[in-house]
Structure formats: structure tokens, C-alpha cells
Amino acid sequence: MSNNDFLVLKNITKAFGKAVVIDNLDLTIKRGTMVTLLGPSGCGKTTVLRLVAGLESPTEGQIFIDGEDVTKSSIQNRDICIVFQSYALFPHMSIGDNVGYGLRMQGVGAEERKQRVKEALELVDLAGFEDRYVDQISGGQQQRVALARALILKPKVLLFDEPLSNLDANLRRSMREKIRELQQRLGITSLYVTHDQTEAFAVSDEVIVMHKGKIMQKAPAKELYLHPNSLFLANFMGESSIFNGQLNQNQVTVNGYQFSLPDAEKFGIANGECLVGIRPEAISLKTEGEPSQLCQIKSAIYMGNHWEIVATWGGQELMINANPDNFDENTQTAYVHLAEHGVFLLNKE
């Protein structure tokens, strides 16, 4: 481990009886970064968070925080804090007492506690809220109180367990921006769990996609989306249409239509048969083209900033996002033109 490897899980397996939930997992999070565990329900991401927190013990393997083996340490001895989905605030306490609760448990004096509560509430834009109660503030404000309560303890590792699931869309957007801003400003090493791809992309330095207790891919958001390493990743990370194709150097052929893909070598695919993934935004529909590019429009739904189109091309369904200014809803046929951005290659499975 290097000095920059702050949170390390080595050969972690977790079984409940005969059911293996986490299967020989290795994970390293660099100091001061935020990494998100993303995946469908039941993939094991919350179990990993609970193992890091000390709420579960691994069946096999070791967990290190800042070089210290904490595998057998209790949650109280790991110097971590968790921001929960449910906020977990005390309704009978004032906001100030909620935020300062951890400090009181640590025996911090009243004057220092009062000052640090004030600073923590200022961090989350709730200055002056010390004397209010939980039922006097909104859901978004309650989540910020929960965040302040964690930040005030200045933990080595900050854990987020689906923290925005109970908020509406607008509040989720503002809260994820606040979480990311504070994490970067304070430099706290953080592990975030969510099933929401947009949320994961918005807050993370790197995203880890999990499936059936294994890490499928770990990378920055852009790389995950543009260069998925498996059919599972391609289908999980956004929408895509998958076609059989041929690769010859940087030339790709799909349904007889040949186009150039200059960064084809980045996918590590040998020349010959392959799978070609096409994101909806990679497609332009035009009135002219070769016969091999002709598609039939099955349906078109107006979504405000784009048309969501399902077409048939070469006997397969093709999902398309079309610019409202460049598409007539009465169109029945059109010619497919593919851009480089949003097309990816996979080995045939």
C-alpha cells in the first residue's frame, strides 16, 4: 500500500450462511477522494459500506484505514461517520443539539461544542438554525443537518448510504452539489452508495459498478459511460442498442454501413467480429444516405429537449434521441448516421 492508499479492502468475502454476498473483493480508495459504489439492488454495495463501517464483519479478508488494520475494530474505534438515507435525527433535540451530539459523547466542553456547531451549520448553509427542531425544517434541511452532524466530528472516512433517496428531484440536485463541494473543500476520504447513475456521476472522482458481489469496473464516470468493459456495464450505464459488427483497424461495419471510429484501439478489441454499442445520442437521422443506413420509425415521444425515438434498423430495434429542431414527428423512414462519441465496442460473449 502507498501512503496515498487511504481506505483499502483486501480479499474481502462476506457470506451469510451459504449465501456469498461479497466474493473476494479488492478495493482501494485514495486519500481525499470520493468513490461511489453503484449497482442494482442486491449487488452487495450496501454490504461493502457496512463492512467498512464495522456494522458487519468480513468472513475473510482485511480492511485498512490510513494504514491501520481495522478489520476487528468496532465502529466507535474506526473514526468514521455515516450519513444515512433516513437522516436519523433526534426529534426531541434542537438542531444544535443534534449536530453537537457526537461531540457531547466525546466529552467536548459546552463552549467549544457551541462554536463547532455554529461552524458546521455554516458549512451546510444553515447558520442560525441551532434552536429550531426537526419538525420545523424541510427534508432537504434535515439532510443537511445530518451532514453537519457527520462533518463536525472531522472523521477519517465519511460514508453515505443512499443519502438522497427521500428527496425530490430538485432537492437531490442541490444536495449532491453541496455534498460534492464540501467533500472537495474539506478533503475527506468518502465512500458513497447509490443505485442512481446520475447521482453517482455528479459526486464522484471514481465510480465502482458492482454486480452479484463483484466489482465489474472502476473508473471515472466518463470512462465508464464511453468505454464499458462488458455487456452488463453497457446496459446498466445508460441506454444502448447492441449490434453485431465487424472491426478492421479503425473502420467499423454494422448492417453493411461502414464508418470510422478513430479511437477503436482504446477498446482493446481484435480485428474481426465484435459487438457494437450505440448510445441514443450518437445517432443523427437524415433524409439522405446509403440503403444500408435506412431505418423505419416505430414510435416518437416528445420529451421537451429531445425526441425519444424507437426505430427498426437491420431487423433490430434502435433507440435514438433526436434534436427537436431536426426531427418531424410525421417521419416514417430516415437514414442513420453515427457519430464517434457514444459508439463503443465489446468482444462477442
Side-chain angles (χ1 to χ4, degrees), residues 35-89:
V35 171
T36 294
L37 297 175
L38 174 68
S41 179
C43 70
K45 58 187 184 295
T46 298
T47 301
V48 171
L49 181 137
R50 291 177 61 83
L51 288 167
V52 172
L55 298 172
E56 299 283 355
S57 297
T59 306
E60 296 178 13
Q62 293 173 286
I63 300 171
F64 297 86
I65 295 177
D66 197 13
E68 178 185 355
D69 188 340
V70 298
T71 311
K72 297 181 179 179
S73 299
S74 67
I75 184 171
Q76 292 84 1
N77 294 323
R78 294 195 182 195
D79 199 3
I80 60 96
C81 283
I82 309 175
V83 179
F84 293 100
Q85 175 182 341
S86 61
Y87 317 145
L89 301 177

Side-chain angles (χ1 to χ4, degrees), residues 97-111:
D97 287 343
N98 265 283
V99 174
Y101 181 77
L103 294 180
R104 185 158 67 87
M105 292 297 99
Q106 291 178 354
V108 175
E111 283 305 310

